[in-house]
Amino acid sequence: PPGYYMLFLLDAAGVPSVARFVQVSPAPGNHPPAGAITSPSGNVTVAAGSSVNFLGTASDADGGPLSFAWIFPDGAPAASSAQNPGAVRFDEVGTHVASLTVLDAVGANDPNPPTRVVTVIPAPLSVQITSPTAGATVRGSVNVVMSVTGASGASNAFTLSVDGSRVVARKTVSGTQTTIKWSTRKETVGPHTLTASVVDAAGR
């Protein structure tokens, strides 16, 4: 099988002869291919849930067909055999090293596979009031529906305030949406501003 071999001759005293390593390859004289990652052009930092576009190229002095083997740790997809896999989504916060290995027709692979470091940071935290809508006219007891995106963990602490400072209620839920009842009976007639805030399980 392919590999490195050495042949020794031993004399009567067990002393070995001088020998050299001989490499046995599936195709003597074959040159390994060389791969390159053309996109992204360097290491990247993205928010969790974002995608990175991967494109590759390769060359081989011997010619012939080439195959591509991409590895995307914690990516979606986690691997690809396409020359240009395209968008790969990364949801897990941390550092991930993507790599490309190119093989030629006789199974020789690129001895120096190119890599890209993908650093994934938490997605921006954003909270919305989905009901009532802006500019709505309300009276009596009103259900104020709030939701959050980009939260880390399942627990989220919502706070609803009126006119910037007066807290209506605080509510911690296991999920990304909650409803807080706002009684308008003590409010003056006219426009008021509702403000929603949230603290996620990571303290953001």
Side-chain angles (χ1 to χ4, degrees):
Y4 286 90
Y5 297 88
M6 180 178 285
L7 174 64
F8 289 101
L9 297 178
L10 302 178
D11 63 15
V15 179
S17 63
V18 176
R20 295 181 178 178
F21 279 106
V22 176
Q23 182 183 12
V24 177
S25 66
N30 180 69
H31 300 86
I37 298 175
T38 58
S39 177
S41 58
N43 300 331
V44 295
T45 298
V46 298
S50 300
S51 295
V52 179
N53 192 48
F54 284 92
L55 305 175
T57 187
S59 61
D60 185 3
D62 304 304
L66 299 174
S67 58
F68 294 77
W70 293 85
I71 301 296
F72 307 112
D74 298 310
S80 175
S81 59
Q83 177 178 341
N84 298 311
V88 178
R89 179 185 173 99
F90 292 88
D91 293 320
E92 185 173 333
V93 174
T95 300
H96 316 280
V97 180
S99 64
L100 167 63
T101 300
V102 180
L103 294 90
D104 65 13
V106 297
N109 64 279
D110 184 352
N112 298 297
T115 62
R116 291 290 184 268
V117 177
V118 179
T119 302
V120 182
I121 60 177
L125 196 64
S126 177
V127 63
Q128 303 86 29
I129 296 175
T130 56
S131 181
T133 58
T137 299
V138 298
R139 60 177 56 85
S141 182
V142 179
N143 287 328
V144 180
V145 181
M146 300 175 290
S147 62
V148 63
T149 57
S152 299
S155 178
N156 294 291
F158 289 87
T159 299
L160 177 66
S161 303
V162 177
D163 296 331
S165 59
R166 182 159 48 86
V167 175
V168 174
R170 293 184 174 90
K171 190 175 183 181
T172 299
V173 298
S174 295
T176 58
Q177 180 174 297
T178 191
T179 299
I180 291 179
K181 286 190 177 296
W182 171 40
S183 176
T184 66
R185 293 182 178 87
K186 296 181 181 180
E187 307 293 348
T188 58
V189 174
H192 294 276
T193 300
L194 294 178
T195 302
S197 62
V198 68
V199 178
D200 69 6
R204 298 189 299 148

